[in-house]
Amino acid sequence: MKAITVEPLKPGTARLEDIPEPDLLNGSMLVEAVAVGVCGTDAEIVEGKYGWAPPGKTRLVLGHESLGRVIDPGPASGFKKGDLVVGIVRRPDPVPCPNCAVGEWDMCRNGQYTERGIKQIDGFMSERWRIEPEYAMKVDPTLGILGVLLEPATVVTKAWEMVLAVGQRSFWEPQNVLVTGAGPIGLLAAGIGVMRGLDVHVLDRVTSGPKVDLVKAIGATYHSTTVAELGFEPDVIIECTGVGIVIAQSIMKVGAGGVVCLTGVGKGGAAVGASIADVAAAAVLRNNVIVGSVNANKRHWYKASEALAHAKREWLEPLVTRREKPENFKKALARESDDIKVVIQFSDI
Ligand SMILES: [Zn+2]
């Protein structure tokens, strides 16, 4: 079967190639790939900056944002042939740490977790893949190809859960939320915020184009100013850019008793003119919390699948802006200015 593979940490090694049928070790359920979303992590792996091949192998099958159709559910899996499913990405570490032991692999303490398509387990960019039924999540069949948005939606679902968990520390009735960054994560965070009945604001750099239109379609307000220039103090900020200046301004701008949830992963950049002590003082004097959030466990996967099933298709559909064939995977990985979510489509739906 055809698969998109890469030799991790070696740039320029990604290729579409023939590989053996999926290994039974990866699970009793056999799935036909429909589509796989691409994100910054995939691009980093292809650029040789990240990634681990499975033990004893040199190449890794890429892809962690899956959507597939069950070919063979295997024995007593609870799934049936034709079900649309998405594969959970992370597996608990083998020790296991206390969090992995209770199913909170998203909160793994020792870093020895593994991840499909990223860390030591083959991913989903192959014509067929196998999965353990307990790590497959059924998606609403009416979502069609939009089911490929489930993995990014789980990241958002966990971020919202973190915000609400922090909010429980005192009396708290959040009215408005600012989402920084109108990429797939930011737009899904905004959509779920609107579904929660909040007054949602989205901030990004562009002044026109599909992102601006989509924010309006979601029912949120678009801003192209800086965070510092905003005319209000948000109760919640969900930070999805990973950009230093945006993060610093978010921490200074959030209202008293507010929560800043960091989901973007950046690196380096210029110093932003706010000292750590100043940023910390802003948090201390207003009882604010800055919380980081990554990955998701099965509860988030289930909640995200419910949220997607109930989300309006008018704003979900425009999130998938480009579909490429597997042979054009390099084109899929190269960012174009109007891209939101690009997917590699393996079969029709
Ligand atoms: Zn662990």
Side-chain angles (χ1 to χ4, degrees):
M1 63 172 182
K2 292 266 189 293
I4 298 163
T5 68
V6 62
E7 190 172 342
L9 307 183
K10 288 203 178 165
T13 57
R15 63 178 182 236
L16 180 70
E17 63 173 340
D18 276 308
I19 64 165
E21 288 293 317
D23 198 326
L24 253 172
L25 282 174
N26 282 341
S28 57
M29 193 155 88
L30 182 64
V31 179
E32 171 193 27
V34 171
V36 185
V38 299
C39 77
T41 303
D42 299 306
E44 284 196 341
I45 294 171
V46 168
E47 287 163 15
K49 293 175 182 164
Y50 201 69
W52 294 259
K57 291 188 177 176
T58 54
R59 299 187 72 82
L60 170 76
V61 176
L62 201 61
H64 58 277
E65 298 184 7
S66 63
L67 174 67
R69 197 183 289 114
V70 175
I71 298 174
D72 177 3
S77 69
F79 292 89
K80 54 183 195 300
K81 189 171 187 272
D83 279 347
L84 281 184
V85 293
V86 174
I88 292 177
V89 178
R90 191 174 283 193
R91 298 292 175 276
D93 79 76
V95 176
C97 76
N99 289 70
C100 284
V102 300
E104 291 183 354
W105 53 72
D106 58 315
M107 303 291 288
C108 182
R109 303 275 289 278
N110 64 25
Q112 293 178 48
Y113 59 82
T114 53
E115 288 179 329
R116 302 273 319 233
I118 301 171
K119 193 166 181 270
Q120 299 169 317
I121 326 178
D122 279 335
F124 303 108
M125 286 188 189
S126 53
E127 287 180 284
R128 285 168 290 286
W129 38 270
R130 284 191 170 274
I131 192 152
E132 315 87 327
E134 62 271 30
Y135 287 99
M137 189 57 62
K138 202 188 261 188
V139 291
D140 186 311
T142 67
L143 282 168
I145 197 152
L146 302 175
V148 79
L149 296 170
L150 181 56
E151 194 277 342
T154 66
V155 171
V156 168
T157 301
K158 176 178 171 183
W160 270 113
E161 210 178 74
M162 293 292 111
V163 167
L164 297 174
V166 170
Q168 293 306 308
R169 73 202 156 126
S170 62
F171 179 78
W172 191 55
E173 287 183 329
Q175 306 293 319
N176 59 43
V177 54
L178 171 70
V179 177
T180 53
I185 299 281
L187 291 166
L188 284 165
I192 291 176
V194 170
M195 288 167 80
R196 289 177 177 277
L198 292 162
D199 175 22
V200 179
H201 299 256
V202 179
L203 183 147
D204 203 307
R205 286 177 300 188
V206 295
T207 51
S208 62
K211 287 179 177 179
V212 181
D213 299 338
L214 197 40
V215 169
K216 286 178 190 154
I218 286 170
T221 307
Y222 187 82
H223 302 265
S224 58
T225 62
T226 65
V227 175
E229 287 165 345
L230 279 179
F232 67 101
E233 293 181 345
D235 298 319
V236 175
I237 299 182
I238 299 187
E239 206 299 301
C240 308
T241 70
V243 175
I245 184 85
V246 180
I247 296 166
Q249 289 188 2
S250 293
I251 294 169
M252 307 292 269
K253 188 73 176 179
V254 71
V259 183
V260 179
C261 184
L262 305 177
T263 70
V265 181
K267 192 167 183 251
V272 295
S275 80
I276 290 174
D278 292 344
V279 169
V284 170
L285 295 172
R286 306 175 90 186
N287 288 298
N288 293 343
V289 177
I290 299 138
V291 57
S293 180
V294 71
N295 199 256
N297 66 40
K298 197 165 183 179
R299 181 178 69 251
H300 308 122
W301 280 82
Y302 176 76
K303 285 165 79 172
S305 75
E306 290 288 296
L308 274 193
H310 292 106
K312 287 192 178 135
R313 303 302 188 258
E314 301 94 273
W315 67 262
L316 277 186
E317 268 160 16
L319 285 170
V320 177
T321 46
R322 198 149 59 88
R323 303 183 191 190
E324 298 286 359
K325 293 189 169 120
E327 50 268 39
N328 294 333
F329 74 91
K330 284 183 182 160
K331 207 166 160 242
L333 285 162
R335 279 202 70 77
E336 292 177 11
S337 60
D338 283 344
D339 283 341
I340 298 174
K341 178 55 70 185
V342 178
V343 306
I344 298 174
Q345 192 162 352
F346 281 82
S347 62
D348 290 336
I349 186 159

